[in-house]
Amino acid sequence: MHLYNLTLQPPTATSQAIVGNFSGAREQEIIISHGTRLELLRADKNTGKLSTVIASDVFGQIRSLASFRLTGGTKDYAIVGSDSGRIIILDYDPKTSSFVKLHEETFGKSGARRIVPGQYLATDPKGRSVMISAMEKSKLVYILNRDTAANLTISSPLEAHKPSAIIHHIVGVDVGFENPMYAALEVDYAESDQDPTGEAFKNAEKMLTYYELDLGLNHVVRKWSEPTDPRANLLVQVPGGQLASSDRFDGPSGVLICCEDHIIYRHMDAPQHRVSIPRRKHPLEDPKRGCLIVAAVMHKMKGAFFFLLQSEDGDLFKVTIEHEDEEVKALKIKYFDTVPVATSLCILKTGFLFVVSEFGNHYFYQFQHLGDADDEPEFSSTSYPSFGMAEPFVPLPHVHFRPRTLLNLALADEMESLDPILDAKVLNLLPNSDAPQIFAACGRGARSSMRILRHGLDVEESVSSELPGIPNAVWTTKKREDDPYDSYIILSFVNGTLVLSIGETIEEVQDTGFLSSAPTLAVQQIGADALLQVHPHGIRHVLVDRRVNEWRAPQGKTIVCATTNKRQVVVALSSAELVYFELDLDGQLNEYQDRKAMGSTVLALSVGEVPEGRQRTPYLAVGCEDQTVRIISLDPESTLETISLQALTAPPSSICIADMLDASINKAQPTMFVNIGLQNGVLLRTVLDPINGQLTDTRTRFLGTRPIKLIRVLIQKNPAILALSSRSWLNYTHHNLMHFTPLIFENLDYAWSFSAELSPEGLIGIAGSVLRIFQVPKLGMKLKQDSIPLSYTPRKFITHPSNNYFYLVEGDHRVTGEIAAKKKLDEMRAQGKKIDEEVINLPSDQFGRIKAPSGTWASGIRIIDPVEAKTVAWYPLDGNEAAFSLAIVPFSARNNELHLVVGTAADTTVSPRTCSSGFLRTYKFNEDGTGLELIHKTEIDDVPLALLAFQGRLVAGVGKALRIYDIGKKKMLRKVENKSFSTAIVTLATQGSRILVGDMQESIAFAVYKAPENRLLVFADDSQPRWITAATMVDYNTVACGDRFGNVFVNRLDPKVSDQVDDDPTGAGILHEKGQFMGAPHKTRMLSHFHIGDIITSIQKVSMVAGGREILLYTCLNGTVGILVPFVSKEDVDFISTLEQHMRTEQNSLVGRDHLSWRGYYVPVKAVVDGDLCEGFARLPGAKQSAIAGELDRTIGEVLKKLEQLRVTTSGF
Amino acid sequence: MAERTEDEVIDGIWNGKLRYTANTQLEHLHARYTGTGHADLTKYEWLTHQHRDTLSSIVGHAPLLSYLALADGEAIGRVKFEMTERMLQPCGPPPKKDEE
């Protein structure tokens, strides 16, 4: 089995974000790392909306990012630390809109290793050097400078290693223009490793160490090292240094050390200051639990600076330092606002805060205040003896604040993120949809949601109004060429035309010069200030002074179709003749002396727009009833001569010539495409050669069941094509590449561009008798998301076989369940304790829930109606029980009546996995599945992580045991058990009497149930240990799985073994076979293997296109959605593999990781082609494209067509 | 016992010298590449190395950190901190050395 891996939705989880002037313009941009992908964002400072400028796969794992600017420079560069063993300096080139690798310095082995740098990056604030550090020991310092041509240079590395030191964090110390200095938080383990008494471990000191880069001597010295708080985790740079122009200090220099519960200000030879991190005043707060700072940002303004630190609950604190020159007077902290817990915070100079959430959507806030004017209590180091450092190892008393809704920040924009996807199903449930939807259980805690993902562009409707009749076409037009907006809407009915004027309101107008007693075929604003209407009996040329020049169709003939642009008009008569008109320099419309007889009824016509600075477009496309499309010249020297001809498979219904940019064909200028829509719903897209008028590179696509209508529109000021069939599609250019995406909107009968003051880039369409005005707001988002909010982190869900409802289990560790919390609060009230009702009623989706000790769970079962997108019922669990698995079982002992079995456990701890008791809760469905009724609850000995219906009974993975249960009156009855599994059973799949069991650490085992002897036997397993996260049966002998390290692989059982096992009626043969390698007697063979770089949480065999091939669709933790497509022929395998080989050499990874070793991170890649890399072919420069295509004995067009076909025919994306 | 030939003697010197330089090289390599094993590695040392390698690999791979944070109900920042803390002594104190 050879597979083609393609990412449909790249990861959306963000591990880090940096801000800087990367384009060198006076505008700040944000670079975010999605782990395996870099994305550059730009914020509109007026609207506060974020937009993606570029995003590119790096084929490596990004571990750290930092921005820096050379002294005196205006442009920021990005430094990337990754698992490639190299330090990378990236430059964003705004001209080509791409990241350019400026430097790539190798320092170590690849892989995220303990002593290979890449985990931490720190830059000197003056941009003179950078430190890159590993988790342990290794730190390298590179000096950055300019050469004579002002190019960035990088030195060879200087070592600042400290053996046996574990590094918690590093940061650049701001020392102005003195020698660059770095601070590191280190713990030495050498002594603890040697001391059996454990004394040394207990006394291990966490050191704050300063490393100074001596620029004169060109080496790094350990300048200063002092013990600090043993629970310190993060360092933050404090501004310092003196300006050359004045003798004022920017700040006191030094660092803030964020520790559990405390913030310490620290600098060499200076007194320390310590404050306590304020805690939430919550009645259920656990006073023993520490509070960590997880994200921090420092912001410098003119003459001042402040810090925003975020605690692990999401509370932001504003920290300020009062100082006189270099002497710190006080360290102050106060509550600022609460936002979702972030991995990174970025402050923009335009007054925005970008919060990169650790899970779920990312948020972009605008500062309303800086927290100066409110009456929030402020805590200062001066209120403690010796600035809080009298007894450095004794914690300061707790201080508290009251959380409240946002005061200093206001939400400006939200970036949708699927991260984390915990389970997903692909089903076609929504009405009127011909492609399946992806239902993904996403998010964490109170911000969880069930998201419905549909392939298509989201459409925003602004106006919808009923019309008196059913129009068959709609146009809009300006009055003059240079008008900014449209003035008229023209609607054509069967027997007349209606003209509406666009103003404050939209109303009918009469005196426009348009003929209202006949239907209209075409409307055009022509020349500088005239209008044109084509109707069946003639052409009306309405001049600016309302005079009308009319050309009448010859007696007995009518116009059947027409095409126009700013200077040219072509009409086809019922006698199959073409009449050509052109505007002369006086603004007169002149008929060409000859008419062209086509010999077959003309069904469709199209001319392109007049190219800028030209008189006319030289080509006309004519589609005739004889199933041909002809390209006819409009050039004065060969007017109306046929140039080329294309045969079709069905009569054409519509043609559209458009000049659109597609960088895969031509990077410099737009390509002329002839789009031909056929009556059978197929669209052909061909490229028209601008020199000889030949049609080449034909691509086909099935759009729907109705004849296609094609309309040229403008989307974000670029030409695009709207294709209407039983679905509406948009063909547009985004990030220089051509895309073809359905619109998620009602079917349209006709549409046109619409531009008015309120909706400058809209579209207008008719659907039946309704007129609709709408926009396509986000071109980048190809998956439209609708979400249903959930209470806790979703764990698993299943669908009901008949009623389409979803049954979902949710659960959160370290959270008190709603019933238990209410009980506790009631108790406290009964004891007469004062409870702050406002604080406990704060919305948990913004403030999270108060953390409880380990072993506390909040959980429940939810019923969701995915079509209506709402929760039908919610059953919270009590008794510290948490649900982990569920199955719908038709118990044969109860006449195949469906039952829901939910596997739960009480007092579960995660590591090590223990529980006081596991349970199987059996429910009956009530009222068509909208309700559940508990029948009984069966106590079991371990956590049931996997349940499945099996031959009218239940098969359960209970800890290490695989068991079959049958339903009884009072409880579930255990029938048979197999305890040969090593860790814990996490997945189950079945066909016939075979059960595929996924173990948490020991891969997939094939088990069989032999009913006559009631035996459950494992007969085959894997030869490799695999930490299974998701698995699905591809066929009876084949299984596709994802593991915890980001791999996907396919294993197959030898069919001979399979037959042998199936033929053995009692299983005695297997029972007495000798095990192999301390496992089952047979081993599966690995067929393919691939490293995705994201942990697969669900994998499913499904067909994404109506009538298309079955593929494997997987979803991952970080929000990746991808597919694995089996190749159908050996030729395809050879062709695409060779292309991949060429792409590996042509397209270097942005982080310097070798592609083959990245895709074979843990196990060498086997029989899988990386489609994401191959699709990079479209972005290569033309010369490289043709070189590769030449090597493959193909043309560039053929290669691109093959790649598109692989994507479109299997995923529809 | 047969007398050694000259060749054997030279061989012996070579071997000894080689062994000596190889040893210092090995020591150098051990100092340079923390976590490399050697013939006298104890079970405790090996296990500690394994755990430290694993912990730093978890911190280095963001998806794994998210995975653990989700399972445990903690913030990613907290999980990362606790993993790094655990690197100090992942397998408890070393066993007591024998008197010999």
Side-chain angles (χ1 to χ4, degrees):
Chain A
M1 179 148 57
H2 227 98
L3 298 169
Y4 182 72
N5 175 68
L6 198 60
T7 305
L8 300 183
Q9 159 85 38
T12 50
T14 306
S15 51
Q16 214 183 344
I18 51 170
V19 64
N21 293 17
F22 298 107
S23 60
R26 298 180 59 83
E27 195 179 6
Q28 282 187 311
E29 284 108 5
I30 300 169
I31 293 182
I32 57 178
S33 136
H34 294 300
T36 57
R37 198 173 159 86
L38 274 181
E39 189 172 345
L40 186 99
L41 301 175
R42 194 170 284 154
D44 187 315
K45 66 171 173 248
N46 299 321
T47 61
K49 297 284 176 222
L50 285 171
S51 58
T52 303
V53 181
I54 48 163
S56 63
D57 281 314
V58 301
F59 302 106
Q61 180 80 40
I62 300 165
R63 292 158 77 197
S64 49
L65 269 181
S67 69
F68 84 97
R69 178 186 298 198
L70 286 171
T71 313
T74 54
K75 185 180 167 82
D76 285 287
Y77 299 96
I79 310 185
V80 188
S82 67
D83 62 351
S84 65
R86 291 174 168 144
I87 186 169
I88 303 289
I89 299 186
L90 290 182
D91 175 27
Y92 168 65
D93 182 358
K95 270 194 214 114
T96 58
S97 190
S98 60
F99 288 116
V100 179
K101 223 173 359 179
L102 290 184
H103 288 287
E104 178 181 77
E105 296 296 314
T106 309
F107 50 68
K109 282 188 182 187
S110 61
R113 284 165 211 267
R114 190 164 131 206
I115 54 156
V116 178
Q119 183 64 41
Y120 302 111
L121 273 173
T123 52
D124 172 54
K126 294 285 182 260
R128 297 168 296 170
S129 67
V130 57
M131 178 182 261
I132 184 163
S133 152
M135 288 293 291
E136 182 182 319
K137 182 183 139 181
S138 316
K139 281 175 240 78
L140 296 173
V141 177
Y142 288 88
I143 302 170
L144 303 164
N145 216 329
R146 284 193 189 86
D147 63 9
T148 45
N151 293 319
L152 177 72
T153 61
I154 187 163
S155 71
S156 40
L158 305 170
E159 290 186 357
H161 296 346
K162 182 174 189 308
S164 67
I166 293 157
I167 301 153
H168 276 258
H169 201 226
I170 60 169
V171 75
V173 181
D174 194 347
V175 289
F177 285 103
E178 305 198 351
N179 276 334
M181 190 106 80
Y182 294 94
L185 261 186
E186 299 173 335
V187 189
D188 195 306
Y189 63 71
E191 273 178 42
S192 335
D193 265 7
Q194 299 303 324
D195 179 18
T197 61
E199 228 16 64
F201 169 67
K202 240 185 261 162
N203 299 331
E205 284 178 322
K206 198 169 269 177
M207 310 295 282
L208 176 70
T209 310
Y210 275 20
Y211 291 91
E212 185 184 4
L213 165 67
D214 193 320
L215 284 171
L217 296 172
N218 205 25
H219 79 147
V220 184
V221 286
R222 185 171 300 121
K223 178 98 173 168
W224 177 72
S225 189
E226 282 291 316
T228 181
D229 190 302
R231 297 286 284 172
N233 69 319
L234 198 74
L235 297 174
V236 190
Q237 183 188 87
V238 177
Q242 225 165 351
L243 289 173
S245 50
S246 71
D247 47 354
R248 245 195 60 233
F249 282 88
D250 268 3
S253 187
V255 289
L256 285 187
I257 308 170
C258 305
C259 320
E260 198 162 49
D261 289 331
H262 297 100
I263 311 285
I264 303 173
Y265 167 79
R266 190 94 200 253
H267 193 37
M268 216 165 27
D269 312 323
Q272 300 182 43
H273 285 253
R274 184 167 72 148
V275 287
S276 189
I277 301 173
R279 303 166 73 98
R280 279 191 197 180
K281 222 182 260 168
H282 194 285
L284 299 179
E285 184 207 8
D286 175 8
K288 280 188 287 242
R289 194 187 150 83
C291 178
L292 277 187
I293 295 295
V294 294
V297 62
M298 183 263 292
H299 188 65
K300 266 200 260 193
M301 298 169 295
K302 267 205 181 103
F305 62 89
F306 68 92
F307 306 86
L308 279 184
L309 309 182
Q310 191 181 34
S311 76
E312 55 189 319
D313 297 323
D315 303 318
L316 286 174
F317 298 102
K318 184 182 175 187
V319 173
T320 46
I321 293 177
E322 259 176 40
H323 67 105
E324 266 171 31
D325 288 344
E326 284 187 289
E327 191 188 344
V328 174
K329 295 286 176 195
L331 176 68
K332 291 181 173 175
I333 187 165
K334 74 192 276 192
Y335 172 63
F336 192 71
D337 260 339
T338 301
V339 296
V341 183
T343 52
S344 261
L345 298 170
C346 288
I347 296 180
L348 272 70
K349 288 207 173 100
T350 42
F352 290 96
L353 174 73
F354 185 42
V355 175
V356 183
S357 311
E358 55 171 18
F359 294 109
N361 295 358
H362 309 306
Y363 295 90
F364 197 56
Y365 293 95
Q366 185 161 28
F367 282 100
Q368 304 292 309
H369 312 280
L370 285 178
D372 300 323
D374 53 19
D375 48 3
E376 203 63 53
E378 193 169 44
F379 307 100
S380 168
S381 61
T382 50
S383 45
Y384 304 106
S386 340
F387 305 123
M389 290 307 285
E391 288 165 295
F393 297 103
V394 177
L396 295 174
H398 286 170
V399 291
H400 289 90
F401 69 92
R402 269 187 87 213
R404 48 159 169 73
T405 47
L406 292 181
L407 183 71
N408 297 310
L409 299 170
L411 190 63
D413 197 10
E414 189 171 348
M415 260 178 86
E416 279 181 337
S417 166
L418 291 173
D419 153 64
I421 304 181
L422 292 141
D423 197 5
K425 298 257 183 301
V426 184
L427 295 159
N428 192 358
L429 290 183
L430 299 187
N432 310 323
S433 170
D434 50 4
Q437 303 90 47
I438 303 169
F439 296 88
C442 302
R444 129 74 154 313
R447 292 171 64 225
S448 308
S449 57
M450 167 67 87
R451 304 212 186 176
I452 303 158
L453 309 178
R454 276 185 283 173
H455 175 230
L457 291 168
D458 196 7
V459 169
E460 263 174 24
E461 187 179 76
S462 48
V463 175
S464 161
S465 83
E466 194 73 28
L467 292 168
I470 298 179
N472 46 34
V474 62
W475 295 270
T476 58
T477 183
K478 303 171 184 178
K479 279 189 193 155
R480 304 169 59 89
E481 197 179 1
D482 44 10
D483 283 353
Y485 302 119
D486 290 328
S487 306
Y488 294 133
I489 299 172
I490 297 101
L491 292 160
S492 167
F493 294 86
V494 182
N495 52 6
T497 296
L498 185 69
V499 183
L500 307 171
S501 89
I502 309 167
E504 303 245 311
T505 57
I506 292 176
E507 53 196 23
E508 189 180 343
V509 278
Q510 303 288 356
D511 54 344
T512 51
F514 284 114
L515 185 71
S516 60
S517 60
T520 301
L521 295 172
V523 172
Q524 175 74 42
Q525 192 281 316
I526 196 160
D529 50 12
L531 294 172
L532 185 99
Q533 179 194 19
V534 183
H535 57 88
H537 301 290
I539 301 174
R540 287 169 74 89
H541 187 193
V542 185
L543 301 180
V544 68
D545 51 6
R546 298 279 153 81
R547 273 187 303 130
V548 175
N549 291 337
E550 185 145 14
W551 177 87
R552 291 192 173 280
Q555 203 66 41
K557 297 176 186 173
T558 52
I559 298 175
V560 290
C561 61
T563 180
T564 59
N565 63 26
K566 284 221 164 73
R567 306 200 63 85
Q568 292 160 291
V569 179
V570 184
V571 297
L573 301 179
S574 51
S575 55
E577 286 171 306
L578 292 182
V579 192
Y580 175 49
F581 301 88
E582 203 175 294
L583 207 65
D584 65 15
L585 296 172
D586 305 328
Q588 284 290 324
L589 203 58
N590 295 324
E591 183 185 348
Y592 182 69
Q593 68 266 29
D594 291 330
R595 291 182 184 167
K596 167 108 176 164
M598 297 303 294
S600 170
T601 308
V602 177
L603 298 176
L605 285 174
S606 179
V607 288
E609 291 290 354
V610 181
E612 203 132 328
R614 299 281 183 84
Q615 275 288 317
R616 61 185 72 79
T617 175
Y619 300 115
L620 162 74
V622 185
C624 301
E625 207 175 20
D626 59 0
Q627 306 195 0
T628 58
V629 165
R630 280 163 236 212
I631 300 297
I632 287 173
S633 170
L634 297 180
D635 198 76
E637 292 180 0
S638 57
T639 312
L640 298 185
E641 276 176 25
T642 303
I643 299 171
S644 60
L645 187 138
Q646 164 115 23
L648 309 170
T649 52
S653 58
S654 179
I655 301 181
C656 182
I657 298 184
D659 295 295
M660 290 170 70
L661 184 70
D662 186 0
S664 65
I665 297 172
N666 189 336
K667 283 169 188 60
Q669 57 199 39
T671 310
M672 194 185 262
F673 290 106
V674 180
N675 290 275
I676 305 159
L678 305 186
Q679 286 184 352
N680 60 8
V682 171
L683 179 84
L684 301 175
R685 194 212 76 182
T686 59
V687 175
L688 181 64
D689 190 316
I691 295 159
N692 58 19
Q694 294 301 313
L695 293 171
T696 53
D697 191 10
T698 306
R699 313 245 181 113
T700 58
R701 192 160 181 147
F702 178 69
L703 298 191
T705 47
R706 294 202 320 209
I708 295 175
K709 285 192 191 110
L710 297 167
I711 299 122
R712 197 160 55 217
V713 295
L714 277 181
I715 297 283
Q716 298 186 354
K717 302 195 175 63
N718 289 317
I721 291 170
L722 204 58
L724 309 175
S725 178
S726 58
R727 266 167 116 186
S728 310
W729 296 71
L730 190 68
N731 183 13
Y732 57 98
T733 304
H734 182 65
H735 288 168
N736 292 343
L737 286 176
M738 189 101 111
H739 295 268
F740 210 97
T741 314
L743 296 180
I744 298 182
F745 200 48
E746 201 178 327
N747 288 338
L748 297 172
D749 298 317
Y750 206 84
W752 203 256
S753 283
F754 178 82
S755 170
E757 213 166 337
L758 288 174
S759 151
E761 296 201 324
L763 295 166
I764 185 166
I766 41 179
S769 62
V770 183
L771 185 74
R772 295 172 184 278
I773 297 175
F774 56 97
Q775 293 96 40
V776 182
K778 279 191 175 170
L779 284 186
M781 293 293 281
K782 279 191 173 186
L783 274 177
K784 178 178 165 23
Q785 307 182 5
D786 291 301
S787 74
I788 309 165
L790 306 177
S791 303
Y792 306 113
T793 311
R795 300 286 163 179
K796 267 177 194 140
F797 71 98
I798 45 170
T799 49
H800 193 282
S802 55
N803 67 16
N804 286 343
Y805 287 157
F806 288 164
Y807 296 84
L808 174 101
V809 290
E810 303 172 21
D812 265 331
H813 188 208
R814 294 178 199 272
V815 173
T816 313
E818 48 200 274
I819 301 169
K822 196 169 173 294
K823 246 186 243 164
K824 262 190 201 171
L825 286 171
D826 285 346
E827 257 171 47
M828 288 171 108
R829 282 190 194 104
Q831 285 167 8
K833 280 187 189 159
K834 248 177 99 184
I835 283 168
D836 194 335
E837 298 293 335
E838 244 177 80
V839 170
I840 49 172
N841 291 330
L842 282 172
S844 49
D845 54 339
Q846 285 166 43
F847 292 88
R849 295 191 174 88
I850 193 87
K851 286 263 186 346
S854 167
T856 317
W857 289 82
S859 181
I861 306 161
R862 187 181 293 270
I863 308 176
I864 289 174
D865 181 344
V867 180
E868 298 285 322
K870 62 170 195 208
T871 296
V872 176
W874 164 244
Y875 298 92
L877 294 177
D878 194 13
N880 204 17
E881 228 178 292
F884 293 97
S885 54
L886 75 176
I888 291 178
V889 192
F891 281 108
S892 43
R894 294 282 169 92
N895 284 330
N896 291 332
E897 193 193 339
L898 291 173
H899 288 76
L900 178 73
V901 184
V902 180
T904 65
D907 310 320
T908 318
T909 57
V910 176
S911 172
R913 193 189 67 253
T914 59
C915 63
S916 63
S917 170
F919 298 102
L920 293 175
R921 288 170 161 257
T922 314
Y923 292 90
K924 221 171 160 164
F925 292 105
N926 276 348
E927 297 149 33
D928 298 333
T930 55
L932 297 173
E933 182 196 330
L934 183 68
I935 304 178
H936 50 60
K937 195 168 148 183
T938 314
E939 203 168 309
I940 45 177
D941 54 347
D942 207 339
V943 187
L945 290 176
L947 298 177
L948 188 72
F950 174 74
Q951 297 186 343
R953 299 204 268 188
L954 172 80
V955 57
V958 181
K960 296 178 185 181
L962 182 69
R963 290 183 194 143
I964 292 178
Y965 285 92
D966 207 344
I967 193 165
K969 278 223 165 82
K970 295 248 169 95
K971 59 193 279 189
M972 300 291 280
L973 310 168
R974 186 200 296 187
K975 293 295 174 191
V976 57
E977 178 182 58
N978 183 320
K979 290 193 92 162
S980 67
F981 299 93
S982 72
T983 323
I985 293 166
V986 288
T987 67
L988 288 170
T990 184
Q991 258 184 45
S993 62
R994 182 170 293 177
I995 305 169
L996 264 59
V997 187
D999 187 271
M1000 198 181 263
Q1001 295 179 6
E1002 292 290 339
S1003 196
I1004 293 282
F1006 283 61
V1008 64
Y1009 176 63
K1010 294 291 180 189
E1013 296 288 319
N1014 195 30
R1015 276 179 185 147
L1016 194 53
L1017 302 166
V1018 173
F1019 62 93
D1021 60 11
D1022 197 354
S1023 50
Q1024 295 188 51
R1026 298 278 202 168
W1027 297 48
I1028 298 292
T1029 54
T1032 188
M1033 273 177 106
V1034 180
D1035 60 37
Y1036 190 50
N1037 290 331
T1038 318
V1039 61
C1041 325
D1043 79 5
R1044 197 181 297 179
F1045 307 103
N1047 301 306
V1048 63
F1049 58 96
V1050 180
N1051 278 351
R1052 180 169 287 169
L1053 180 73
D1054 188 348
K1056 270 191 219 143
V1057 176
S1058 169
D1059 291 345
Q1060 192 190 320
V1061 169
D1062 287 350
D1063 292 344
D1064 180 356
T1066 60
I1070 316 160
L1071 198 61
H1072 296 105
E1073 251 176 320
K1074 216 177 128 196
Q1076 237 183 339
F1077 311 129
M1078 299 189 291
H1082 302 284
K1083 299 290 163 193
T1084 52
R1085 204 161 47 87
M1086 189 178 78
L1087 295 186
S1088 26
H1089 182 100
F1090 191 69
H1091 180 249
I1092 291 165
D1094 196 353
I1095 302 172
I1096 291 184
T1097 50
S1098 84
I1099 183 163
Q1100 197 179 342
K1101 189 169 103 169
V1102 69
S1103 166
M1104 288 296 283
V1105 187
R1109 252 185 294 159
E1110 282 197 311
I1111 53 166
L1112 287 168
L1113 185 136
Y1114 57 80
T1115 58
C1116 302
L1117 199 70
N1118 278 355
T1120 312
V1121 179
I1123 54 170
L1124 290 162
V1125 181
F1127 282 110
V1128 277
S1129 72
K1130 188 86 181 69
E1131 285 129 61
D1132 279 5
V1133 174
D1134 291 343
F1135 172 60
I1136 296 289
S1137 314
T1138 326
L1139 174 66
E1140 188 193 25
Q1141 257 172 41
H1142 286 291
M1143 287 305 297
R1144 274 193 196 121
T1145 51
E1146 287 304 335
Q1147 201 179 35
N1148 272 323
S1149 152
L1150 268 185
V1151 296
R1153 187 94 159 96
D1154 177 51
H1155 179 263
L1156 198 57
S1157 80
W1158 162 248
R1159 291 306 188 189
Y1161 208 120
Y1162 298 90
V1163 173
V1165 54
K1166 188 178 178 195
V1168 182
V1169 177
D1170 186 354
D1172 301 339
L1173 180 75
C1174 292
E1175 289 198 341
F1177 180 78
R1179 286 180 291 270
L1180 284 184
K1184 282 188 177 167
Q1185 276 182 335
S1186 47
I1188 294 177
E1191 293 269 342
L1192 294 164
D1193 284 335
R1194 301 283 210 291
T1195 63
I1196 300 175
E1198 282 169 340
V1199 177
L1200 290 169
K1201 187 175 172 179
K1202 184 82 218 171
L1203 290 172
E1204 189 189 273
Q1205 183 215 333
L1206 268 170
R1207 176 182 268 272
V1208 171
T1209 57
T1210 55
S1211 70
F1213 273 53
Chain B
M1 214 164 82
E3 258 187 40
R4 285 190 189 175
T5 63
E6 203 178 281
D7 273 357
E8 276 173 340
V9 173
I10 294 171
D11 234 354
I13 295 166
W14 261 110
N15 271 342
K17 198 172 182 185
L18 204 65
R19 197 168 296 138
Y20 175 71
T21 48
N23 267 342
T24 52
Q25 264 177 8
L26 205 64
E27 268 166 30
H28 181 69
L29 281 177
H30 275 133
R32 199 180 159 99
Y33 300 108
T34 316
T36 321
H38 53 86
D40 301 325
L41 199 72
T42 66
K43 189 177 171 185
Y44 172 80
E45 284 169 336
W46 178 83
L47 206 60
T48 306
H49 280 319
Q50 287 285 316
H51 276 250
R52 286 199 182 123
D53 285 343
T54 306
L55 289 165
S56 69
S57 172
I58 290 172
V59 175
H61 289 106
L64 270 173
L65 267 183
S66 310
Y67 192 86
L68 295 180
L70 274 168
D72 203 21
E74 289 282 16
I76 290 179
R78 164 74 72 170
V79 175
K80 181 173 172 243
F81 173 63
E82 298 294 354
M83 292 287 154
T84 320
E85 280 287 287
R86 206 196 285 175
M87 279 178 75
L88 177 56
Q89 196 164 77
C91 309
K96 284 200 176 89
K97 277 187 193 136
D98 293 341
E99 293 304 304
E100 294 166 271

